[in-house]
Amino acid sequence: QAQLVESGGGSVQAGGSLRLSCAAPGYRYYCMGWFRQAPGKEREGVGTVDTDGTTTYANSVKGRFTISKDNAQNTLYLQMNSLKPEDTAMYYCAANTGWCATDIAGTGPNPAIFGYWGQGTQVTVSS
């Protein structure tokens, strides 16, 4: 059973930055992504990165968040800058053995197509 382990969450004031990490040892995925879920809301996609480094972002985070991946270490990163209170959520990394889908509209990746998930890390942004 593949295991993904997130780290790096915490509390920060609006305008601050955080960097999340997701370790995925022992398995190579074609597509990895970040998702978030606020209390009482559905899980929403933040963005994805393919093995070749191609990224997609939801419009809500475009220009503020950056997804990257260290293929040698099988570690996924989410650099979050200019954080807003509405970014407060549990953040999850996920992985898929297929290629990432394109996201021209910027609606964010569909969580239903990802088969492997981490346990989540909390991000809280105060105003």
Side-chain angles (χ1 to χ4, degrees):
Q1 182 71 24
Q3 288 188 332
L4 306 177
V5 181
E6 302 98 336
S7 61
S11 297
V12 65
Q13 288 191 328
S17 299
L18 281 175
R19 188 191 195 206
L20 307 184
S21 300
C22 173
Y27 200 93
R28 290 199 176 274
Y29 305 98
Y30 286 106
C31 179
M32 296 188 74
W34 287 100
F35 296 80
R36 65 187 183 183
Q37 188 166 18
K41 295 188 176 181
E42 293 186 352
R43 189 167 296 187
E44 65 170 346
V46 173
T48 60
V49 61
D50 253 322
T51 301
D52 65 359
T54 301
T55 54
T56 69
Y57 296 95
N59 289 332
S60 58
V61 304
K62 201 171 292 183
R64 300 187 298 121
F65 290 10
T66 302
I67 296 173
S68 60
K69 185 182 175 194
D70 183 333
N71 286 325
Q73 300 293 326
N74 242 13
T75 301
L76 178 71
Y77 301 98
L78 178 64
Q79 177 65 45
M80 303 183 292
N81 298 328
S82 301
L83 282 161
K84 304 174 181 180
E86 51 263 43
D87 294 318
T88 295
M90 186 72 79
Y91 282 70
Y92 300 89
C93 72
N96 188 15
T97 54
W99 295 105
C100 291
T102 57
D103 186 17
I104 297 173
T107 56
N110 180 0
I113 66 173
F114 286 78
Y116 303 96
W117 291 86
Q119 81 290 348
T121 185
Q122 178 69 36
V123 171
T124 302
V125 184
S126 58
S127 58

